[in-house]
Amino acid sequence: MNRQAIGVALVFAGIILYGIVHITTLMYLPSVMTYSTQWGKYLQAMYDSGGLIAFIVSIVLFLIGVFLLLPKSIFSVKGVMSEIRERDREFNEQYGTRKTQ
């Protein structure tokens, strides 16, 4: 498979996993009467229902998928500059050089 297909699959898997964790957390939320942590009621319900690890995995899957969807040229400054120079050279060959004042 190519890089984009894997990226789309990971983004989709992260979103689906987060949705499942969110639904189970919301189903468990009414049974959380007290919470003694600074997380708040939602994250306490997520922790009590056992969804905290799945929540973290869903975020990691989503971020890896987004990383794979980004073009390689973003991470390589030399690649971007060489591509700009190549396109400038092709433009100059086709249309002639520009005269600057």
Side-chain angles (χ1 to χ4, degrees):
M1 269 204 255
N2 63 1
R3 184 179 164 122
Q4 287 181 340
I6 294 172
V8 168
L10 289 177
V11 167
F12 187 68
I15 290 171
I16 295 299
L17 183 59
Y18 174 75
I20 292 169
V21 169
H22 182 69
I23 289 171
T24 57
T25 301
L26 289 180
M27 290 174 61
Y28 188 77
L29 192 61
S31 66
V32 175
M33 297 300 170
T34 61
Y35 50 95
S36 60
T37 63
Q38 62 203 18
W39 291 2
K41 195 170 182 180
Y42 180 78
L43 286 178
Q44 184 66 41
M46 186 182 296
Y47 177 76
D48 289 345
S49 66
L52 191 59
I53 293 174
F55 174 71
I56 293 169
V57 169
S58 70
I59 291 174
V60 168
L61 286 174
F62 181 81
L63 291 176
I64 291 172
V66 167
F67 178 77
L68 290 174
L69 287 175
L70 294 174
K72 290 181 183 179
S73 62
I74 288 178
F75 304 108
S76 170
V77 175
K78 290 182 179 179
V80 172
M81 292 307 295
S82 64
E83 185 176 342
I84 290 172
R85 285 187 196 104
E86 179 64 26
R87 288 186 182 184
D88 188 47
R89 186 189 58 76
E90 290 173 2
F91 180 85
N92 287 339
E93 286 178 359
Q94 186 173 2
Y95 298 108
T97 59
R98 296 174 289 182
K99 293 183 180 179
T100 59
Q101 306 253 358

